[in-house]
Amino acid sequence: MPAGNTSLHSNKTGLCLSGGGLRGIAHLGVIKALEEHGLAPAMISGTSAGAIVGAFYAAGYSPEEMLEIAGETNFFALINFRGGGWFSTDIFMQLFERYLPDNRFEALIKPLHVAATDFGNGTTHYFNSGQLHTALMASASLPLIFPPMNIDGAHYMDGGILNNLPIEPIENSCDLLIGCHVNSAGKLHKRMPGRAQILSRSFHLLMSSVVYMKAHRCHLFFDPPELIRFSMFDRSSARKLYDYGYEYASRKLDGGKQ
């Protein structure tokens, strides 16, 4: 936590949300707990699933409304497979068009910054104006699963590749910076997983190393450890993820043991 006497009753709270597939639903529970403690975010930065949650929240949806959408749709799910080895982005674009019909950052109620990886340049790019839907899809395009998103001639992929806690766009604009990481490296409590799980865990261990190097720059940092028990893609766990994120954040905000 940064030095100083920053009040937890700030009127200028910034929230940074990590990626994490379906585990991003835990962000909703954390946001609910923040609201109940008078810490509703005034600005948001996020990547991948965190960018999607951030966009819906910045558009005015409540945590409960977002949870309902996640339960009724294929929100965060990998479906609609097509030829050529990629999963189609169509389902995401249809969801954005339905629930975020005004396809502009400028139409959002709260400022939003979306991180994506510029694959050609090997840098993180932050979107905060112009078309919203393509920026969200660029931020959530997981390598080898979704095709890169071409925007103005540049190819973008999941922002978490380089920066899974993109605090930079809001770090100097808020007086209370809160980070929420839903891909805790955690500790495996079972035998060595299969090949797909090994690949997934290797990817997240790499991403987490960058996250933890920056966590101390947040005044509050949420890193729910038991999220490792939940699959990134199992939609049946949505309510459990929401409840766990809410309970974890509530305990931490109340000063309880994590």
Side-chain angles (χ1 to χ4, degrees), residues 221-239:
F221 180 64
F222 297 103
D223 186 34
E226 294 302 316
L227 286 178
I228 194 174
R229 296 187 291 107
F230 298 94
S231 166
M232 293 176 65
F233 310 116
D234 181 7
R235 190 158 54 100
S236 66
S237 299
R239 169 55 71 172

Side-chain angles (χ1 to χ4, degrees), residues 52-72:
I52 295 173
V53 168
F56 274 67
Y57 187 67
Y61 289 96
S62 70
E64 293 90 347
E65 287 172 332
M66 287 187 278
L67 179 63
E68 183 176 350
I69 292 170
E72 292 180 351

Side-chain angles (χ1 to χ4, degrees), residues 20 40 44 54 71 74 84 131 137 162 167 175-176 220 231 247 249 251:
I44 306 155
N74 290 299
Q131 292 192 3
M137 196 61 245
L162 293 178
I167 61 175
D175 50 30
L176 181 67
L220 284 173
S231 166
E247 292 162 4
R251 288 195 305 271

Side-chain angles (χ1 to χ4, degrees), residues 19-188:
L22 194 81
R23 293 173 189 158
I25 292 177
H27 285 316
L28 308 182
V30 171
I31 293 172
K32 177 64 174 176
L34 290 173
E35 289 182 337
E36 290 182 352
H37 286 76
L39 297 173
M43 62 191 74
I44 306 155
S45 177
T47 189
S48 198
I52 295 173
V53 168
F56 274 67
Y57 187 67
Y61 289 96
S62 70
E64 293 90 347
E65 287 172 332
M66 287 187 278
L67 179 63
E68 183 176 350
I69 292 170
E72 292 180 351
T73 69
N74 290 299
F75 202 45
F76 299 127
L78 294 178
I79 65 168
N80 204 19
F81 188 71
R82 69 178 181 184
W86 301 109
F87 281 87
S88 174
T89 61
D90 291 349
I91 186 66
F92 284 94
M93 288 302 191
Q94 290 168 10
L95 285 169
F96 298 154
E97 290 168 3
R98 177 179 177 184
Y99 293 103
L100 301 169
D102 196 334
N103 183 21
R104 299 176 300 127
F105 278 86
E106 292 80 5
L108 299 173
I109 298 171
K110 300 173 186 284
L112 173 70
H113 302 266
V114 171
T117 299
D118 183 329
F119 211 65
N121 291 326
T123 58
T124 298
H125 182 86
Y126 302 103
F127 295 94
N128 57 21
S129 63
Q131 292 192 3
L132 176 63
H133 299 170
T134 52
L136 293 177
M137 196 61 245
S139 182
S141 290
L142 290 167
L144 304 180
I145 297 177
F146 292 115
M149 181 63 61
N150 188 325
I151 302 176
D152 296 330
H155 292 89
Y156 296 96
M157 299 202 75
D158 194 296
I161 296 172
L162 293 178
N163 190 354
N164 205 29
L165 193 71
I167 61 175
E168 290 80 2
I170 62 174
E171 186 175 16
N172 296 320
S173 299
C174 60
D175 50 30
L176 181 67
L177 178 61
I178 301 174
C180 185
H181 178 227
V182 294
N183 258 339
S184 175
K187 181 179 179 181
L188 289 178

